Amino acid sequence: MTKVLNKNQHLLGAFDPSVFELIESDISADILLVCEHAGQAVPIKLNGLGVSLEIFNQHIGYDIGAAKLTRKIAAQLNVPAILQNYSRLVIDCNRPTNQSDSIPEMSDHTLISGNLNISDEDRQSRIDEIFTPFHDKISQLLDQNHYKLIIAIHSFTPQMNGNKRPWDVGFLFRQDQKTSRSFMQYLSANHPDLNIGENQPYNIENNSDWFVPIHGEQRRIAHSLIEVRNDHLLNESGINKWAEIISKAIQHFLSEPLNELNP
Ligand SMILES: [Zn+2]
Protein backbone atom coordinates (compact mmCIF):
# COMPACT_ATOMS: atom_id res chain seq x y z
CA MET A 1 0.00 0.00 0.00
CA THR A 2 1.09 3.54 -0.64
CA LYS A 3 2.04 5.41 2.48
CA VAL A 4 0.31 8.69 3.19
CA LEU A 5 2.66 11.58 3.75
CA ASN A 6 2.30 14.00 6.60
CA LYS A 7 2.17 17.64 5.61
CA ASN A 8 5.69 18.32 6.75
CA GLN A 9 7.29 15.31 5.12
CA HIS A 10 9.04 15.55 1.81
CA LEU A 11 8.15 13.14 -0.96
CA LEU A 12 11.69 12.88 -2.30
CA GLY A 13 14.44 11.66 -0.02
CA ALA A 14 18.21 11.40 -0.16
CA PHE A 15 18.11 8.11 -2.09
CA ASP A 16 15.71 9.27 -4.79
CA PRO A 17 17.16 10.44 -8.10
CA SER A 18 17.18 14.11 -9.01
CA VAL A 19 14.10 15.36 -10.84
CA PHE A 20 15.90 16.10 -14.09
CA GLU A 21 19.12 15.54 -15.95
CA LEU A 22 20.53 18.56 -17.73
CA ILE A 23 22.86 17.93 -20.63
CA GLU A 24 24.78 21.09 -21.30
CA SER A 25 26.46 21.99 -24.55
CA ASP A 26 29.90 23.51 -24.75
CA ILE A 27 28.86 26.27 -27.12
CA SER A 28 26.01 28.71 -26.94
CA ALA A 29 23.27 26.81 -28.69
CA ASP A 30 20.22 27.85 -30.70
CA ILE A 31 18.13 24.92 -29.56
CA LEU A 32 16.87 23.32 -26.36
CA LEU A 33 15.63 19.73 -26.33
CA VAL A 34 13.08 18.65 -23.73
CA CYS A 35 12.13 15.08 -22.80
CA GLU A 36 9.28 15.08 -20.29
CA HIS A 37 8.64 11.33 -20.27
CA ALA A 38 12.28 10.21 -20.20
CA GLY A 39 12.43 8.45 -16.85
CA GLN A 40 10.98 5.46 -15.02
CA ALA A 41 11.80 6.37 -11.41
CA VAL A 42 9.27 6.25 -8.59
CA PRO A 43 9.95 8.03 -5.29
CA ILE A 44 10.84 5.42 -2.66
CA LYS A 45 8.03 6.66 -0.41
CA LEU A 46 5.45 5.75 -3.08
CA ASN A 47 6.32 2.03 -2.89
CA GLY A 48 6.27 1.43 -6.62
CA LEU A 49 2.72 2.82 -6.88
CA GLY A 50 1.44 -0.63 -6.01
CA VAL A 51 2.00 -2.03 -9.51
CA SER A 52 4.47 -4.61 -10.81
CA LEU A 53 7.90 -3.44 -11.88
CA GLU A 54 7.35 -4.50 -15.48
CA ILE A 55 4.68 -1.79 -15.83
CA PHE A 56 7.48 0.79 -15.72
CA ASN A 57 9.12 -0.82 -18.75
CA GLN A 58 5.96 -0.36 -20.81
CA HIS A 59 4.77 2.70 -22.71
CA ILE A 60 2.48 3.72 -19.84
CA GLY A 61 5.52 3.99 -17.54
CA TYR A 62 7.68 6.16 -19.78
CA ASP A 63 8.32 7.05 -23.41
CA ILE A 64 10.29 4.03 -24.62
CA GLY A 65 13.53 5.08 -26.32
CA ALA A 66 12.86 8.82 -25.98
CA ALA A 67 15.65 9.54 -23.49
CA LYS A 68 18.28 7.78 -25.63
CA LEU A 69 16.99 9.51 -28.73
CA THR A 70 17.13 12.91 -27.00
CA ARG A 71 20.69 12.30 -25.78
CA LYS A 72 21.78 11.26 -29.26
CA ILE A 73 20.27 14.31 -30.95
CA ALA A 74 21.83 16.55 -28.27
CA ALA A 75 25.23 14.99 -28.98
CA GLN A 76 24.89 15.19 -32.76
CA LEU A 77 23.85 18.85 -32.73
CA ASN A 78 25.91 19.82 -29.66
CA VAL A 79 22.86 21.38 -28.00
CA PRO A 80 21.51 21.25 -24.43
CA ALA A 81 18.75 18.90 -23.35
CA ILE A 82 16.69 18.50 -20.20
CA LEU A 83 15.29 15.06 -19.33
CA GLN A 84 12.76 14.39 -16.57
CA ASN A 85 13.65 11.33 -14.47
CA TYR A 86 10.34 10.24 -12.88
CA SER A 87 7.76 7.94 -14.42
CA ARG A 88 4.80 9.60 -16.06
CA LEU A 89 2.68 7.45 -13.72
CA VAL A 90 4.01 9.45 -10.74
CA ILE A 91 3.00 12.71 -12.40
CA ASP A 92 2.71 13.53 -16.10
CA CYS A 93 5.11 16.40 -16.77
CA ASN A 94 3.46 17.31 -20.07
CA ARG A 95 -0.05 17.79 -18.68
CA PRO A 96 -1.66 20.50 -16.57
CA THR A 97 -1.69 19.42 -12.94
CA ASN A 98 -5.41 20.22 -12.55
CA GLN A 99 -6.36 17.40 -14.95
CA SER A 100 -7.46 14.04 -13.58
CA ASP A 101 -4.90 12.16 -15.69
CA SER A 102 -2.03 14.29 -14.41
CA ILE A 103 -1.68 11.50 -11.82
CA PRO A 104 -3.53 8.69 -13.62
CA GLU A 105 -5.61 6.15 -11.74
CA MET A 106 -5.91 4.11 -14.92
CA SER A 107 -3.53 4.05 -17.89
CA ASP A 108 -4.23 2.04 -21.07
CA HIS A 109 -6.41 -0.44 -19.09
CA THR A 110 -3.94 -0.82 -16.21
CA LEU A 111 -5.09 0.21 -12.74
CA ILE A 112 -2.45 2.24 -10.88
CA SER A 113 -3.47 1.45 -7.31
CA GLY A 114 -0.94 3.83 -5.75
CA ASN A 115 -2.73 6.70 -7.47
CA LEU A 116 -6.21 5.84 -6.16
CA ASN A 117 -7.82 8.29 -3.76
CA ILE A 118 -4.60 10.08 -2.94
CA SER A 119 -4.88 13.02 -0.55
CA ASP A 120 -4.56 16.64 -1.62
CA GLU A 121 -1.24 16.79 0.27
CA ASP A 122 0.15 13.79 -1.61
CA ARG A 123 -0.98 15.23 -4.93
CA GLN A 124 0.55 18.60 -4.07
CA SER A 125 3.87 17.04 -3.06
CA ARG A 126 4.23 15.42 -6.50
CA ILE A 127 3.50 18.79 -8.11
CA ASP A 128 5.81 20.76 -5.82
CA GLU A 129 8.72 18.32 -5.86
CA ILE A 130 8.66 17.00 -9.43
CA PHE A 131 6.47 18.91 -11.91
CA THR A 132 7.26 22.44 -10.71
CA PRO A 133 11.06 22.19 -10.36
CA PHE A 134 11.31 20.54 -13.79
CA HIS A 135 9.31 23.29 -15.49
CA ASP A 136 10.94 26.04 -13.42
CA LYS A 137 14.30 24.84 -14.74
CA ILE A 138 13.03 24.93 -18.34
CA SER A 139 11.67 28.45 -17.76
CA GLN A 140 15.00 29.52 -16.29
CA LEU A 141 16.88 28.12 -19.31
CA LEU A 142 14.48 29.91 -21.66
CA ASP A 143 14.87 33.17 -19.71
CA GLN A 144 18.66 33.00 -19.76
CA ASN A 145 19.20 31.91 -23.36
CA HIS A 146 17.93 33.09 -26.69
CA TYR A 147 16.99 29.80 -28.24
CA LYS A 148 15.63 29.96 -31.77
CA LEU A 149 13.92 26.63 -31.41
CA ILE A 150 12.67 24.30 -28.67
CA ILE A 151 11.80 20.69 -29.37
CA ALA A 152 10.04 18.13 -27.18
CA ILE A 153 10.98 14.51 -27.91
CA HIS A 154 8.38 11.79 -27.22
CA SER A 155 7.57 8.27 -28.35
CA PHE A 156 4.19 6.61 -28.80
CA THR A 157 2.92 3.07 -28.70
CA PRO A 158 1.94 1.46 -32.05
CA GLN A 159 -1.45 0.43 -30.67
CA MET A 160 -3.72 2.25 -28.21
CA ASN A 161 -7.18 1.16 -27.04
CA GLY A 162 -7.31 -1.34 -29.90
CA ASN A 163 -6.50 1.26 -32.58
CA LYS A 164 -3.42 0.88 -34.75
CA ARG A 165 -1.29 3.99 -35.11
CA PRO A 166 0.43 3.67 -38.50
CA TRP A 167 2.53 6.85 -38.48
CA ASP A 168 6.29 6.43 -38.14
CA VAL A 169 6.58 9.91 -36.70
CA GLY A 170 4.19 12.70 -35.76
CA PHE A 171 4.76 16.45 -35.53
CA LEU A 172 2.43 18.14 -33.07
CA PHE A 173 1.70 21.85 -33.06
CA ARG A 174 -1.05 24.43 -32.95
CA GLN A 175 -0.12 28.11 -33.43
CA ASP A 176 3.39 27.54 -34.77
CA GLN A 177 2.62 25.70 -37.98
CA LYS A 178 5.79 26.84 -39.74
CA THR A 179 8.28 24.86 -37.68
CA SER A 180 6.56 21.47 -37.80
CA ARG A 181 5.64 21.91 -41.48
CA SER A 182 9.28 22.62 -42.31
CA PHE A 183 10.27 19.35 -40.60
CA MET A 184 7.50 17.47 -42.37
CA GLN A 185 8.45 18.85 -45.79
CA TYR A 186 12.08 17.96 -45.20
CA LEU A 187 11.17 14.42 -44.19
CA SER A 188 8.77 13.78 -47.05
CA ALA A 189 11.39 15.02 -49.54
CA ASN A 190 14.24 13.00 -48.06
CA HIS A 191 12.45 9.97 -46.63
CA PRO A 192 9.47 9.34 -48.93
CA ASP A 193 9.02 5.89 -47.39
CA LEU A 194 7.94 7.34 -44.03
CA ASN A 195 4.35 7.71 -42.90
CA ILE A 196 4.41 11.21 -41.40
CA GLY A 197 1.57 12.32 -39.13
CA GLU A 198 0.48 15.92 -38.75
CA ASN A 199 -0.86 16.30 -35.22
CA GLN A 200 -0.81 12.51 -34.83
CA PRO A 201 -1.24 10.43 -32.73
CA TYR A 202 -3.11 13.22 -30.92
CA ASN A 203 -3.90 16.92 -31.00
CA ILE A 204 -2.41 19.58 -28.77
CA GLU A 205 -5.00 20.92 -26.30
CA ASN A 206 -4.68 23.26 -23.33
CA ASN A 207 -6.08 20.62 -21.00
CA SER A 208 -3.82 17.80 -22.16
CA ASP A 209 -0.53 19.55 -22.94
CA TRP A 210 2.04 21.74 -21.26
CA PHE A 211 5.14 22.06 -23.47
CA VAL A 212 3.47 23.52 -26.56
CA PRO A 213 0.99 25.93 -24.90
CA ILE A 214 3.27 27.12 -22.08
CA HIS A 215 6.89 26.97 -23.22
CA GLY A 216 6.28 27.36 -26.96
CA GLU A 217 3.18 29.45 -27.60
CA GLN A 218 3.23 31.74 -24.54
CA ARG A 219 6.85 32.68 -25.21
CA ARG A 220 6.47 32.71 -29.00
CA ILE A 221 9.55 30.56 -29.51
CA ALA A 222 9.59 28.34 -32.61
CA HIS A 223 8.70 24.86 -31.39
CA SER A 224 7.49 21.38 -32.27
CA LEU A 225 6.57 18.30 -30.28
CA ILE A 226 7.97 15.26 -32.08
CA GLU A 227 6.49 11.80 -31.46
CA VAL A 228 8.38 8.78 -32.85
CA ARG A 229 6.60 5.39 -32.88
CA ASN A 230 8.37 3.45 -30.18
CA ASP A 231 8.96 0.24 -32.15
CA HIS A 232 11.55 2.26 -34.10
CA LEU A 233 13.47 2.97 -30.90
CA LEU A 234 13.95 -0.51 -29.43
CA ASN A 235 17.63 -0.85 -30.30
CA GLU A 236 20.76 1.21 -30.85
CA SER A 237 20.56 1.18 -34.64
CA GLY A 238 16.97 2.41 -34.62
CA ILE A 239 17.82 5.19 -32.21
CA ASN A 240 20.85 6.20 -34.29
CA LYS A 241 18.75 6.25 -37.45
CA TRP A 242 16.04 8.45 -35.92
CA ALA A 243 18.54 10.75 -34.21
CA GLU A 244 20.08 11.38 -37.61
CA ILE A 245 16.73 11.94 -39.33
CA ILE A 246 15.56 14.44 -36.69
CA SER A 247 18.95 16.18 -36.38
CA LYS A 248 19.07 16.76 -40.14
CA ALA A 249 15.50 18.07 -40.18
CA ILE A 250 16.43 20.51 -37.40
CA GLN A 251 19.59 21.62 -39.21
CA HIS A 252 17.58 22.13 -42.39
CA PHE A 253 15.05 24.28 -40.50
CA LEU A 254 17.78 26.44 -38.98
CA SER A 255 19.49 26.88 -42.34
CA GLU A 256 16.43 28.59 -43.79
CA PRO A 257 17.04 32.34 -43.23
CA LEU A 258 13.39 33.17 -42.49
CA ASN A 259 13.38 30.76 -39.60
CA GLU A 260 15.85 32.80 -37.63
CA LEU A 261 12.87 34.90 -36.60
CA ASN A 262 10.40 33.69 -34.04
CA PRO A 263 6.97 32.78 -35.41
ZN1 LIG B 1 5.45 11.43 -24.13
Side-chain angles (χ1 to χ4, degrees), residues 36-37 62-63 66 88 92 94 153-156 202 225 227:
E36 296 96 328
H37 300 148
Y62 77 127
D63 279 4
R88 59 191 296 172
D92 189 330
N94 189 37
I153 302 290
H154 291 255
S155 71
F156 65 95
Y202 64 93
L225 187 152
E227 290 266 6

Side-chain angles (χ1 to χ4, degrees), residues 196-212:
I196 303 166
E198 177 174 312
N199 284 316
Q200 298 289 0
Y202 64 93
N203 286 310
I204 301 289
E205 306 282 355
N206 284 343
N207 60 9
S208 64
D209 285 87
W210 195 263
F211 172 82
V212 168

Side-chain angles (χ1 to χ4, degrees), residues 2 7-8 31 37 46 49 102 116 133 167 188 215 220 228:
T2 310
K7 270 185 187 165
N8 299 327
I31 309 163
H37 300 148
L46 296 183
L49 294 175
S102 156
L116 294 179
W167 315 280
S188 31
H215 296 307
R220 300 185 61 77
V228 180

Side-chain angles (χ1 to χ4, degrees), residues 84-141:
Q84 197 282 119
N85 284 331
Y86 284 90
S87 169
R88 59 191 296 172
L89 296 176
V90 176
I91 186 164
D92 189 330
C93 282
N94 189 37
R95 203 174 287 279
T97 57
N98 60 3
Q99 298 298 307
S100 61
D101 47 0
S102 156
I103 297 176
E105 296 185 348
M106 186 75 96
S107 183
D108 201 10
H109 306 288
T110 299
L111 184 75
I112 315 302
S113 63
N115 289 345
L116 294 179
N117 304 314
I118 63 172
S119 68
D120 289 348
E121 286 80 13
D122 288 355
R123 182 174 298 276
Q124 196 60 44
S125 70
R126 299 194 202 181
I127 296 170
D128 292 347
E129 295 185 46
I130 298 173
F131 184 93
T132 301
F134 175 63
H135 286 291
D136 281 355
K137 185 65 191 181
I138 295 174
S139 297
Q140 185 197 51
L141 291 166

Side-chain angles (χ1 to χ4, degrees), residues 178 253-262:
K178 197 173 76 174
F253 173 82
L254 290 173
S255 71
E256 294 179 314
L258 283 175
N259 294 332
E260 286 176 11
L261 297 172
N262 287 343

